[in-house]
């Protein structure tokens, strides 16, 4: 049985690779829009607290809309293919990014902010030199969270013609081809794990940069060793 | 250098933090604000660099009303050690100290030199501490970094809000002594806040005593001890006024100088207990008369030599201290 999966993989590796690349492209394109948007919103609600509840609530609600329904709703406006999928994925990514940006920024010790004010930093300089660097590992954790969600949800995008590994899954279901479904699913999961681990390493790097005490993963240790 | 002119500060929630306060901090001197917790000391301090603005009255900085000086510029010219230290935990010690010079746009080489110089001044070896993070330091070391950061851009005025308040008594005394030496060297105008009258007496050229929101007495340490103007001040100064007075005077202020070492060994060999040429009991010129008195009590002798760099530079008699103790 395992043999048939391996066989399928070897026979179709070029297609798989193609779909994998499409999948990654979809996620990266989404992040390019979702990151600045989510981080800006997070900064906004950190400074304008009254908006924080409604913005976080809105981002939370967006996550509860079934993905298939959301894609379907957007197709009449944006056509089929990547655009509706990217718009929907951007919405899905907002909650973890906004929330972590907000928590990261508002969690900065008050003493540090006051000291920054005392030495004559402007509001912008305090944001740039104190709040954002301190919040960056927390924001990265949010991005990691969002990326893993995106990699999963992006598979559904194939239903409205966005391509990616979801293509194999839908085709597999249609043709009752178990190998196709299983192999594509495993690749999606592996992709999520790789991104998760990679971003975890970046997160820990930022923590080290901030002088935080962290239990390093093996990956971070190895990379730190190579660098230093 | 700093002048408070009938300043009242009422916060938005209508708390009256200080009422009708007037005092001056002369250039190059240290003025200490002292009073119980919540009496408005931090507020007074924040009025200097405009972290707060007065509700009534005016604060003058170098003759100019602070309201007419740009906030950012004013704050960068004034060093500020906040009550909670507030080191930037995500930056190294070196980066912390470099903060204001960087904001002022100094060039990198100049900043690096300055950082090293200040760390040395604060008795933190640059090689060892420059790249450490604040979390790795002890309380006393963090406090030193806080002071170094405040001094980095060579400010005209230094504000220090209970800088040694959170330290254990020994570290506190050490830092106070070191800071007095540093102050003698850099000669900055300092406004210093504390809730400890002993610290105020030790550090201040002038002392401002606060009761809740009100200035009660503004005077030299000696006058505060000798002529407290109210029951409040008398209570605040507490017991042992004479001992406190002795702690304000240093040995070198009343010693009889001796120029040649032989003089002391001839005249005072009976009084300075020696042991194979090594002087057992002696005083340093910077010791206070209070600690001199304790040495007299311990050694039970009439006169003690004052020794600096292993050379006897003077002599003090016990009776001289008794005279001050009794008569003023
Ligand atoms: N931002 C503020 N808003 C309202 N009340 C304040 C504020 N800051 C301080 N206070 C109040 O003003 C009084 C003086 O406070 P503070 O200057 O911090 O005293 P101290 O430093 O002597 O302990 C206190 O009653 C305090 O609660
Ligand atoms: Mg205070």
């Amino acid at each position: 049985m395992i043999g048939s999966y391996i066989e399928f993989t070897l026979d179709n590796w070029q297609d798989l690779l193609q779909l994998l690349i499409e999948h990654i492209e979809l996620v990266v394109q989404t992040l390019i829009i979702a990151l600045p948007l989510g981080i800006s919103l997070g900064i906004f609600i950190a400074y304008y607290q009254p908006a924080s509840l409604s913005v976080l609530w809105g981002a939370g609600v967006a996550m509860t809309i079934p993905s298939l329904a959301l894609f379907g709703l957007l197709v009449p406006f944006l056509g089929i293919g990547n655009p509706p999928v990217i718009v929907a994925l951007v919405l899905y990514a907002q909650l973890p990014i906004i929330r972590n940006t907000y928590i990261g920024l508002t969690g900065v010790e008050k003493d540090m902010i006051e000291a920054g004010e005392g030495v004559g930093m402007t509001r912008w300089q305090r944001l740039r030199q104190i709040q954002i660097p301190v919040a960056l590992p927390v924001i990265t954790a949010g991005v990691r969270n969002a990326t893993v969600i995106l990699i999963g949800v992006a598979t559904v995008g194939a239903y409205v013609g966005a391509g990616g590994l979801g293509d194999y899954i839908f085709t597999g279901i249609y043709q009752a081809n178990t190998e196709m479904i299983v192999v594509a699913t495993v690749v999606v999961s592996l992709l999520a794990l790789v991104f998760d681990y990679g971003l975890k390493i970046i997160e820990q790097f930022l923590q080290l940069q901030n002088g935080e005490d962290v239990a390093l993963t093996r990956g971070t240790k190895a990379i730190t060793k190579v660098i230093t | 250098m700093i002048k408070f002119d009938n300043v009242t500060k009422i916060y938005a929630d209508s708390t009256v933090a200080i009422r009708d306060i007037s005092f001056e901090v002369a250039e190059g001197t240290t003025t200490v604000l002292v009073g119980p917790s919540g009496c408005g000391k931090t507020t007074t301090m924040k009025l200097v660099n405009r972290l707060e603005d007065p509700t009534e009255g005016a604060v003058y900085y170098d003759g100019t009303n602070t309201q007419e000086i740009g906030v950012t510029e004013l704050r960068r010219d004034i060093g500020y050690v906040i009550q909670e230290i507030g080191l930037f935990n995500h930056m190294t010690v070196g980066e912390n100290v470099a903060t204001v010079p960087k904001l002022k746009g100094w060039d990198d080489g100049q900043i690096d030199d300055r950082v090293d110089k200040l760390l040395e001044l604060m008795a933190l070896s640059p090689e060892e501490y420059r790249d450490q993070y604040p979390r790795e330091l002890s309380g006393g070391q963090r406090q030193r970094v806080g002071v170094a950061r405040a001094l980095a851009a060579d400010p005209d005025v230094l504000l220090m809000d209970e800088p040694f308040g959170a330290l254990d008594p020994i570290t506190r005394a050490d830092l106070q002594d070191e800071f007095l030496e540093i102050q003698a060297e850099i000669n900055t105008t300092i406004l210093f806040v504390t809730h400890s009258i002993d610290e105020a007496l030790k550090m201040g050229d002038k002392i401002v005593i606060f009761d809740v929101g009100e200035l009660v007495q503004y005077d030299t340490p000696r006058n505060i001890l000798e002529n407290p103007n109210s029951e409040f001040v008398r209570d605040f100064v507490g017991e042992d006024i004479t001992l406190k007075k002795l702690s304000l005077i240093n040995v070198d202020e009343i010693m009889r100088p001796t120029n040649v070492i032989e003089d002391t060994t001839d005249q005072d060999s009976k009084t300075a207990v020696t042991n194979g040429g090594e002087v057992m009991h002696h005083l340093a010129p910077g010791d206070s008369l209070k600690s001199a008195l304790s040495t007299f009590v311990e050694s039970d002798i009439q006169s003690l030599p004052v020794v600096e760099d292993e050379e006897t530079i003077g002599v003090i008699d016990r009776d001289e201290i008794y005279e001050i103790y009794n008569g003023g």
Side-chain angles (χ1 to χ4, degrees):
Chain A
M1 207 182 84
I2 300 275
S4 71
Y5 297 141
I6 294 173
E7 197 178 318
F8 177 88
T9 310
L10 293 176
D11 287 347
N12 297 281
W13 71 269
Q14 277 174 316
D15 279 354
L16 267 171
L17 190 65
Q18 177 61 35
L19 292 176
L20 177 66
I21 290 169
E22 278 176 24
H23 206 97
I24 294 175
E25 275 175 1
L26 206 54
V27 170
V28 169
Q29 282 170 354
T30 302
L31 285 174
I32 287 174
I33 302 169
L35 283 180
L37 181 64
I39 292 175
S40 315
L41 279 169
I43 292 175
F44 169 69
I45 60 172
Y47 275 96
Y48 186 66
Q49 297 275 347
S52 62
L53 268 182
S54 40
V55 169
L56 288 172
W57 180 80
V61 167
M63 275 194 111
T64 65
I65 306 172
S67 48
L68 210 50
L70 190 52
F71 295 148
L73 283 172
L74 290 168
V75 166
F77 303 100
L78 301 167
I80 58 165
N82 282 5
V85 174
I86 289 179
V87 169
L89 291 181
V90 165
L91 277 180
Y92 281 116
Q94 289 310 292
L95 183 63
I97 299 176
I98 298 175
R99 185 192 51 206
N100 280 43
T101 305
Y102 174 73
I103 292 174
L105 290 177
T106 51
V108 177
E109 288 161 59
K110 254 186 65 209
D111 304 350
M112 283 164 57
I113 310 270
E114 198 179 313
E117 219 178 337
V119 298
M121 286 183 185
T122 60
R123 186 182 264 243
W124 172 244
Q125 285 167 331
R126 269 176 275 148
L127 183 67
R128 271 291 326 280
Q129 296 178 31
I130 303 174
Q131 289 175 284
I132 289 189
V134 172
L136 216 46
V138 185
I139 297 175
T140 308
V143 173
R144 184 160 66 93
N145 200 207
T147 307
V148 171
I149 294 170
L150 291 182
I151 290 173
V153 179
T155 48
V156 188
Y159 195 75
V160 290
L165 290 158
D167 252 5
Y168 257 27
I169 296 175
F170 282 110
T171 313
I173 293 171
Y174 187 64
Q175 299 177 349
N177 182 339
T178 314
E179 283 85 4
M180 211 172 200
I181 300 172
V182 170
V183 169
T185 306
V186 168
V187 175
V188 169
S189 301
L190 285 177
L191 182 64
L193 285 176
V194 167
F195 269 83
D196 189 51
Y197 200 66
L199 285 164
K200 180 80 194 172
I201 291 176
I202 295 178
E203 185 186 326
Q204 295 207 321
F205 235 75
L206 292 166
Q207 285 178 302
L208 283 180
Q209 202 92 61
N210 283 355
E212 286 174 38
D213 243 351
V214 276
L216 297 184
T217 61
R218 275 185 212 167
T220 316
K221 267 187 211 155
I223 292 181
T224 326
K225 230 180 229 163
V226 170
I227 291 178
T228 54
Chain B
M1 191 68 193
I2 302 170
K3 186 171 165 213
F4 275 70
D5 196 6
N6 298 98
V7 177
T8 297
K9 172 68 190 178
I10 304 171
Y11 282 110
D13 63 359
S14 66
T15 308
V16 183
I18 57 170
R19 190 190 292 279
D20 206 19
I21 299 287
S22 300
F23 68 92
E24 268 178 64
V25 184
E27 193 162 348
T29 65
T30 302
T31 298
V32 180
L33 295 179
V34 62
S37 182
C39 70
K41 304 183 297 292
T42 298
T43 303
T44 307
M45 189 142 273
K46 287 180 173 173
L47 284 162
V48 177
N49 65 357
R50 292 196 62 191
L51 285 169
E52 300 292 349
D53 283 323
T55 314
E56 275 168 45
V59 180
Y60 294 90
Y61 176 80
D62 209 6
T64 313
N65 189 331
T66 52
Q67 295 302 306
E68 285 154 27
I69 308 173
V71 171
T72 313
E73 183 195 342
L74 183 70
R75 289 183 193 157
R76 289 180 190 172
D77 284 342
I78 295 178
Y80 184 31
V81 184
I82 70 167
Q83 192 162 359
E84 302 81 3
I85 320 182
L87 291 185
F88 304 131
N89 288 327
H90 62 296
M91 298 183 188
T92 62
V93 166
E95 287 167 342
N96 267 281
V97 178
T99 308
V100 185
K102 241 182 225 157
L103 289 172
K104 287 189 149 190
W106 295 15
D107 49 63
D108 290 349
Q110 208 182 352
I111 293 177
D112 291 345
D113 291 347
R114 185 69 187 158
V115 167
D116 286 0
K117 202 174 146 210
L118 276 160
L119 290 178
E120 268 160 23
L121 185 70
M122 296 312 302
L124 297 166
S125 111
E127 291 73 33
E128 190 177 346
Y129 291 102
R130 198 194 293 120
D131 297 323
Q132 289 205 24
Y133 285 91
R135 274 186 254 264
E136 303 168 275
L137 306 178
S138 71
Q141 290 167 335
R142 292 166 60 85
Q143 202 52 264
R144 287 165 199 269
V145 177
V147 175
R149 179 177 66 183
L151 286 173
D154 210 358
D156 298 325
V157 167
L158 182 61
L159 306 176
M160 305 177 84
D161 197 348
E162 308 208 18
F164 311 134
L167 304 174
D168 62 88
I170 296 172
T171 314
R172 185 185 314 146
D174 284 350
L175 270 181
Q176 288 168 343
D177 291 337
E178 272 175 45
F179 191 73
L180 283 172
E181 279 170 34
I182 291 170
Q183 160 63 353
E185 199 175 315
I186 59 177
N187 238 321
T188 311
T189 308
I190 298 174
L191 185 57
F192 189 107
V193 160
T194 176
H195 59 258
S196 146
I197 186 70
D198 293 312
E199 187 167 66
L201 292 168
K202 182 170 177 181
M203 307 301 286
D205 297 313
K206 279 280 188 70
I207 295 180
V208 180
I209 298 186
F210 274 40
D211 192 356
V212 185
E214 316 261 348
L215 189 160
V216 212
Q217 187 163 4
Y218 166 42
D219 223 323
T220 59
R222 202 154 175 172
N223 266 335
I224 282 184
L225 290 175
E226 286 170 1
N227 311 304
N229 72 356
S230 61
E231 204 53 44
F232 178 82
V233 174
R234 207 162 312 160
D235 283 350
F236 197 69
V237 168
E239 309 283 302
D240 306 328
I241 290 189
T242 337
L243 275 181
K244 281 175 177 147
K245 225 159 68 190
L246 288 182
S247 71
L248 294 181
I249 306 168
N250 282 350
V251 162
D252 56 1
E253 292 172 50
I254 67 154
M255 71 179 186
R256 274 179 285 125
T258 45
N259 299 322
V260 196
I261 309 168
E262 279 72 25
D263 277 1
T264 23
T265 35
D266 280 356
Q267 279 175 260
D268 301 304
S269 55
K270 290 180 291 304
T271 53
V273 180
T274 53
N275 180 6
E278 193 192 343
V279 180
M280 293 274 290
H281 288 283
H282 58 83
L283 302 166
D287 286 348
S288 69
L289 292 192
K290 185 177 162 190
S291 72
L293 184 65
S294 118
T295 312
F296 275 117
V297 173
E298 272 169 36
S299 63
D300 194 27
I301 44 185
Q302 287 299 322
S303 323
L304 283 172
V306 181
V307 178
E308 186 176 43
D309 297 331
E310 295 181 16
E311 251 180 71
T312 304
I313 57 165
V315 177
I316 276 195
D317 295 335
R318 187 165 68 181
D319 294 343
E320 289 174 78
I321 297 183
Y322 282 10
E323 254 163 57
I324 297 174
Y325 192 102
N326 295 323

